[in-house]
Amino acid sequence: MLFDSVTGLVRVILLGASAYLALITILRISGKRTLAKMNAFDLVVTIALGSTLATILLTKDVALAEGVIAFAVLVLLQFIIAFLAIRYRWAERLVKSQARILLTCPPSAPMAQI
């Protein structure tokens, strides 16, 4: 079976377009911070936004307004964490991780041998 009913397909199309527009609008209002220069925390928020969008589309128990509020809450929480990370060193250490060197070359070994 390809689909259960035409109304289900129409619902997904209408909700999908509406939720997508709402998500794009919220991301545009929030500015470039939401998607630019992503760190691990930003990646988690982006995945959560995608999961919320999928839930809106595929779960009949979740209304569009509830999903839009969920988008706004996730973006607002991201702003709060980013603000705290800029303002307080402990918050920055909590949110941002340092890069780790996985492999080092001995100073005497040429790069071609590795």
Side-chain angles (χ1 to χ4, degrees):
M1 176 182 326
L2 293 176
F3 56 90
D4 291 332
S5 67
V6 175
T7 57
L9 294 176
V10 171
R11 178 189 170 279
V12 169
I13 291 169
L14 294 177
L15 274 178
S18 301
Y20 178 78
L21 289 174
L23 179 59
I24 295 300
T25 302
I26 289 171
L27 290 177
R28 295 292 291 170
I29 290 170
S30 68
K32 294 183 180 182
R33 169 73 181 108
T34 308
L35 296 176
K37 298 181 183 177
M38 289 177 59
N39 57 35
F41 178 74
D42 296 328
L43 178 64
V44 169
V45 172
T46 303
I47 291 170
L49 287 169
S51 176
T52 303
L53 179 62
T55 301
I56 294 169
L57 289 175
L58 300 176
T59 305
K60 294 180 181 179
D61 297 336
V62 178
L64 177 61
E66 294 169 341
V68 171
I69 290 171
F71 290 151
V73 166
L74 288 170
V75 171
L76 178 67
L77 289 174
Q78 185 182 23
F79 267 123
I80 291 169
I81 296 296
F83 175 78
L84 291 174
I86 290 169
R87 193 127 170 118
Y88 301 105
R89 192 80 163 145
W90 61 266
E92 181 182 16
R93 284 189 303 244
L94 186 68
V95 174
K96 295 180 181 177
S97 61
Q98 295 293 326
R100 304 267 165 115
I101 296 175
L102 299 177
L103 176 67
T104 60
C105 296
S108 60
M111 286 297 289
Q113 292 180 351
I114 295 178

